[in-house]
Amino acid sequence: MAVLWLDEIGADDLESVGGKAASLGELTAAGLPVPPGFVVTAGTYRRFIEETGIDEELFEAVDVDAEDSEALAEAEARAQEIILETEMPEDLREEVLASYEEIGDDEAFVAVRSSATAEDLPDASFAGQQETFLNVTGEDLLARVKRCWASLFTQRATYYRQEQGFAHDTVDIAVVVQQMVEAEKSGVMFTSHPSTGERKVIIEAAWGLGEGVVSGSVTPDNYVIDRGTAAVTDVEVADKKTMYIKDPETGETDERAVPEEKRNEQVVDETEIERLVELGERVEDHYDTPQDVEWAIFEGEVYMLQSRPITTISEDGEGAATADGSGGAVQHAEKDVLLSGLGASPGVASGAVRIVDKLDQLDKVGEGDIIVTEMTTPDMVPAMKRAAGIVTSEGGMTSHAAIVARELGAPAVVGTGGATDTLEDDQVVTLDGDKGTIREGRQAQDETEPVEEVRPQAPVKPMTATEVKVNVSIPEAAERAAATGADGVGLLRIEHMILSTSKTPERYIEDHGERAYVQEIVDGVRGVADEFYPRPVRVRTLDAPTDEFRQLEGGDDEPEEHNPMLGYRGIRRSLDRPEVFKHELEAFRQLFEMGYDNVEIMFPLVNDAEDVLQARSLMAEVGIDPEKRSWGVMVETPAAALGIEEMAEAGIDFASFGTNDLTQYTLAVDRNNGTVADQFDELHPAVLDLIGQTIETCRDHDVSTSICGQAGSRPQMVNHLVNKGATSISANIDAVRDVQHEVKRVEQKLLLDSVR
Ligand code: PEP
Ligand code: MG
């Protein structure tokens, strides 16, 4: 049997049909209305390669050096060619086509999707890319099935298997073929309230195919149903301007304007709501956990297209409130505040103080200690990871210590003024990263004021039109960052990847060679790009001030600067040292070649179109096609904000507000100077005005806008950006969920205002 029908399979068939098909099979078996379909099993793929005799040639073609990106690209192309150009054995071909005709007729539209059988392996990319082809019809189906098979040999999949020493012939792939539902209405349904977990069903509904609702490009109607009383308690009818439908001629999905009379019409009626709620409850009962369901209605029938559990993001992870290393045996404590500063990373931590003033003292920081230092540097990250908490004398909310601590989930207090003088080695203290205090002794959480650490987090990601992304500065935080459900990475800083080698880029290249330098960057970015794939990851080229470089090997060659923040950093340093900069760009080129098409390039501290044009031509020089890749700039100086039109004309795809710098340069407040920290106001009208104007200009020029400075995590800034129409917002890991909800709230308010 080349195929199995969805109504014949279940969880036990995982190995032969893959995860996606097995779950559709389960829903079908539970009597839920899943569109009919079948699975071309993993065994069929195997028969195909064995009976046609291509197996040896295929596995030989992909047996290449994983570090050689050219060889990987060639392997992908060759594997595709072998699979696509080999005819399926006649009996397989006939069985697949006969099954297809059973779905409807020989012109039925079907969706074709790969269903990985190795999803439980450590890295899903191991099992190939997840291919989906919609509106497939006729014999084209056979080519699409083969495309799904070939997805086992993308560069990423091959890379992983080679790297980890897994034989290519041990992995199989199944393919689901399912009738397309030509939805007249569609949407999503949460079987329990997504923000509060209450027993309420939430339905979002729009006209046409589901793409609009799922991608967030259409604002749907919103219905709330009390599961206890079955009453519809809230209905918000949206002004639905666009809808997606299938073009009857080409079969392609088309975006159309919603007919005037339907724009403000309620999408689902009472009977349909009742049916959706009934089905939602059955799905939840079946899986015994709240579900997030995609549904569609065609000719009065409701179909379930997909169901996933609603996941609760746990925020009580490593280094949080109980990271005191005491194993819970908390002693009584003196409550007097010894020192205070800015609460830069939330949570409470107790431990022994380790004062660190030179790199060679990092070893003295053990698990559960409290690092106390003037200001952290990238070299300190390994020690910061071991520490239960971090205290610095200098720095503000945008300092290295604050950014890294938040990503590590370690409580931190920064800018205390004199922590290194006031505290002593071995002294046991408790720091509160919410209040910004350091107290004597080891203190239990419940002995302090109520701690906000156990913040109720909404269980699921709300659907928003404005994308909500996350900032990442240390690659090790990628997993935590991805678990937030963010729509991508709005800023990946590469400074840590380079500075953690303890050498300046120039010294590193001198000692280890150019290839090794490029590889450091490729490796660092790849970890994050993988974790998020296919969500976009915006990687910023190097932007470290010379005072950070000076502390490294090779730092003596750095220029001595009176104010490094206004000095030789960002794109100005890169353009002044094109040979070094080109190695960074070469790393991007290699990543693109390896198939990381989710990577985007962002240039820091640009001032004008001249900077942009120079960077663009260096990109082209190393072999990156600026027309094909997504690249853009950070808007961090008033000059950049005021000159955005010329930069748009120079070809940027996006502009991202670096409000840490934009604030310091607009207000002339050094972001690292504690004396003027109270003047550092990211919400100053001048800063907001520059941002507002820039968004408007960008919208006129089809350039997307975002924020990746610390202020993107503040509700007032979120409000300003959504109102001005920013495309996305990138927040700290710990703030993503709150920002998603704030965005949703502001979007809904905008919507209501527009219909009033
Ligand atoms: C910024 O300036 O807002 C920014 C995100 O960049 P950095 O903090 O790395 O200077
Ligand atoms: Mg900056």
Side-chain angles (χ1 to χ4, degrees):
M1 290 279 279
V3 311
L4 289 174
W5 286 89
L6 288 181
D7 58 9
E8 311 176 316
I9 59 176
D12 294 347
D13 300 298
L14 196 69
E15 253 183 49
S16 68
V17 302
K20 196 176 289 156
S23 105
L24 286 169
E26 261 194 63
L27 290 178
T28 312
L32 288 153
V34 174
F38 60 87
V39 193
V40 179
T41 63
T44 305
Y45 155 74
R46 191 140 291 272
R47 271 188 59 200
F48 165 71
I49 55 166
E50 287 176 1
E51 285 181 20
T52 56
I54 58 169
D55 47 350
E56 251 177 58
E57 190 188 358
L58 182 63
F59 299 134
E60 224 166 80
V62 293
D63 186 14
V64 293
D65 175 3
E67 297 305 328
D68 182 344
S69 44
E70 259 173 45
L72 279 175
E74 259 171 48
E76 174 176 340
R78 183 72 195 115
Q80 273 225 10
E81 190 182 8
I82 296 173
I83 292 176
L84 298 185
E85 289 185 1
T86 304
E87 282 282 326
M88 271 190 209
E90 196 51 35
D91 59 326
L92 291 189
R93 210 182 126 81
E94 274 172 14
E95 195 178 337
V96 172
L97 286 178
S99 310
Y100 162 69
E101 283 172 28
E102 254 182 74
I103 286 186
D105 53 34
D106 58 0
E107 286 176 1
F109 283 101
V110 288
V112 182
R113 297 188 173 92
S114 56
S115 178
T117 59
E119 272 170 347
D120 52 341
L121 286 170
D123 194 299
S125 45
F126 186 93
Q129 212 128 313
Q130 299 301 303
E131 288 283 15
T132 295
F133 302 101
L134 300 180
N135 296 315
V136 177
T137 180
E139 295 211 3
D140 190 28
L141 169 65
L142 299 173
R144 300 301 180 173
V145 169
K146 286 201 274 183
R147 287 279 295 276
C148 290
W149 289 343
S151 74
L152 268 182
F153 303 102
T154 58
Q155 293 185 47
R156 299 176 66 239
T158 304
Y159 171 85
Y160 268 100
R161 290 195 294 266
Q162 291 287 88
E163 268 288 278
Q164 302 187 8
F166 284 104
H168 297 289
D169 61 0
T170 54
V171 189
D172 292 331
I173 193 160
V175 182
V176 184
V177 179
Q178 207 180 6
Q179 186 183 54
M180 288 286 302
V181 177
E182 265 182 66
E184 291 146 2
K185 320 168 173 188
S186 56
V188 295
M189 163 169 60
F190 300 111
T191 62
S192 289
H193 195 290
S195 343
T196 62
E198 288 167 88
R199 281 175 56 80
K200 287 180 172 174
V201 173
I202 313 292
I203 296 171
E204 294 192 332
W207 301 114
L209 300 172
E211 275 89 334
V213 181
V214 174
S215 70
S217 59
V218 169
T219 307
D221 287 359
N222 191 293
Y223 309 83
V224 181
I225 301 99
D226 184 318
R227 283 176 60 178
T229 61
V232 181
T233 55
D234 197 10
V235 176
E236 275 176 32
V237 178
D239 178 11
K240 299 162 287 291
K241 297 191 179 80
T242 51
M243 64 192 284
Y244 290 84
I245 59 156
K246 176 163 70 73
D247 184 311
E249 313 240 301
T250 61
E252 310 253 306
T253 302
D254 258 1
E255 189 180 338
R256 298 269 168 93
V258 173
E260 199 55 40
E261 69 282 5
K262 287 179 103 178
R263 271 177 58 161
N264 293 302
E265 191 185 307
Q266 180 168 327
V267 174
V268 280
D269 61 27
E270 227 170 87
T271 324
E272 289 165 332
I273 292 175
E274 260 173 41
R275 174 77 175 142
L276 278 165
V277 172
E278 180 215 325
L279 292 174
E281 289 187 335
R282 276 170 59 192
V283 181
E284 181 172 315
D285 284 350
H286 179 75
Y287 286 110
D288 205 18
T289 176
Q291 297 286 304
D292 163 359
V293 178
E294 277 174 39
W295 57 268
I297 296 180
F298 175 60
E299 293 184 341
E301 283 298 314
V302 180
Y303 293 91
M304 309 272 99
L305 304 183
Q306 200 171 115
S307 182
R308 286 176 291 247
I310 295 177
T311 47
T312 303
I313 311 281
S314 156
E315 282 289 313
D316 57 10
E318 332 85 79
T322 53
D324 61 16
S326 68
V330 180
Q331 301 153 16
H332 182 68
E334 163 64 64
K335 288 191 179 182
D336 288 348
V337 172
L338 298 171
L339 261 177
S340 55
L342 297 169
S345 177
V348 177
S350 301
V353 165
R354 302 286 174 233
I355 296 184
V356 172
D357 52 24
K358 277 202 236 82
L359 292 184
D360 56 9
Q361 293 186 340
L362 287 175
D363 282 352
K364 76 182 199 188
V365 180
E367 291 292 332
D369 289 341
I370 305 286
I371 290 192
V372 177
T373 184
E374 285 292 315
M375 175 39 72
T376 61
T377 61
D379 310 71
M380 290 187 191
V381 172
M384 291 167 82
K385 280 189 207 153
R386 293 194 293 273
I390 296 150
V391 179
T392 66
S393 296
E394 295 172 1
M397 295 297 278
T398 69
S399 60
H400 178 267
I403 291 168
V404 172
R406 281 194 294 267
E407 290 193 10
L408 293 173
V413 179
V414 302
T416 54
T420 47
D421 300 330
T422 313
L423 303 176
E424 285 172 11
D425 265 332
D426 299 327
Q427 183 180 6
V428 173
V429 296
T430 296
L431 71 87
D432 184 326
D434 287 283
K435 294 200 211 82
T437 55
I438 293 124
R439 294 163 190 261
E440 182 77 45
R442 197 181 284 285
Q443 234 171 304
Q445 225 182 38
D446 56 6
E447 284 177 286
T448 60
E449 300 295 308
V451 173
E452 286 167 37
E453 175 56 24
V454 204
R455 297 176 181 152
Q457 288 278 330
V460 292
K461 169 187 172 185
M463 217 116 22
T464 56
T466 315
E467 291 178 325
V468 179
K469 299 184 182 177
V470 63
N471 296 333
V472 177
S473 300
I474 50 173
E476 296 89 328
E479 202 182 329
R480 269 188 87 219
T484 59
D487 295 313
V489 174
L491 166 64
L492 170 59
R493 293 181 171 95
I494 66 166
E495 287 73 45
H496 176 256
M497 297 168 204
I498 293 168
L499 304 195
S500 61
T501 65
S502 305
K503 299 183 180 184
T504 61
E506 290 76 7
R507 173 60 61 86
Y508 188 92
I509 293 169
E510 220 173 280
D511 291 352
H512 309 279
E514 294 162 357
R515 276 183 70 138
Y517 180 69
V518 172
Q519 199 61 44
E520 286 284 350
I521 304 173
V522 168
D523 289 345
V525 174
R526 186 160 62 196
V528 183
D530 264 326
E531 199 65 60
F532 277 81
Y533 197 87
R535 291 176 278 175
V537 174
R538 199 163 275 180
V539 187
R540 183 180 72 182
T541 59
L542 196 59
D543 178 15
T546 50
D547 55 336
E548 286 189 18
F549 281 131
R550 284 193 76 75
Q551 305 175 27
L552 308 176
E553 273 181 59
D556 293 346
D557 299 334
E558 290 294 312
E560 286 242 27
E561 294 187 304
H562 194 59
N563 190 339
M565 273 300 169
L566 292 172
Y568 194 54
R569 55 174 288 218
I571 199 73
R572 56 184 74 158
R573 178 187 180 108
S574 300
L575 295 178
D576 192 50
R577 300 188 178 190
E579 289 318 312
V580 181
F581 184 45
K582 276 202 233 170
H583 299 317
E584 278 174 57
L585 296 174
E586 168 61 16
F588 283 103
R589 193 194 63 75
Q590 291 189 12
L591 286 158
F592 293 141
E593 203 173 82
M594 292 169 78
Y596 289 98
D597 49 10
N598 59 331
V599 167
E600 304 177 338
I601 310 178
M602 178 157 71
F603 299 116
L605 219 71
V606 296
N607 263 338
D608 47 40
E610 184 53 36
D611 287 342
V612 172
L613 289 169
Q614 280 191 46
R616 182 192 163 115
S617 79
L618 289 172
M619 265 198 298
E621 263 180 53
V622 302
I624 298 169
D625 184 347
E627 298 295 329
K628 287 214 185 113
R629 303 297 171 187
S630 174
W631 61 282
V633 295
M634 292 193 63
V635 173
E636 297 179 286
T637 65
L642 298 169
I644 196 70
E645 184 151 22
E646 289 76 25
M647 291 199 245
E649 281 155 10
I652 57 169
D653 297 303
F654 59 82
S656 181
F657 299 105
T659 40
N660 306 339
D661 280 318
L662 186 59
T663 306
Q664 84 166 342
Y665 299 132
T666 304
L667 304 180
V669 175
D670 180 346
R671 61 193 261 191
N672 284 345
N673 182 343
T675 319
V676 288
D678 60 340
Q679 305 275 315
F680 187 85
D681 178 11
E682 298 138 317
L683 302 172
H684 190 286
V687 178
L688 295 183
D689 208 22
L690 285 170
I691 291 176
Q693 284 177 35
T694 308
I695 294 176
E696 259 172 49
T697 312
C698 284
R699 288 177 61 166
D700 289 346
H701 288 77
D702 219 10
V703 167
S704 58
T705 45
S706 188
I707 185 172
C708 57
Q710 168 63 21
S713 301
R714 299 181 63 178
Q716 302 95 316
M717 182 59 89
V718 171
N719 202 313
H720 181 63
L721 292 165
V722 175
N723 272 297
K724 290 288 172 193
T727 322
S728 66
I729 289 174
S730 193
N732 304 328
I733 294 179
D734 57 294
V736 168
R737 195 41 51 107
D738 287 346
V739 170
Q740 287 167 337
H741 282 273
E742 182 63 14
V743 168
K744 179 88 189 175
R745 197 185 64 74
V746 181
E747 286 179 354
Q748 276 175 343
K749 180 161 183 317
L750 273 175
L751 183 76
L752 282 177
D753 290 349
S754 75
V755 293
R756 267 184 198 136

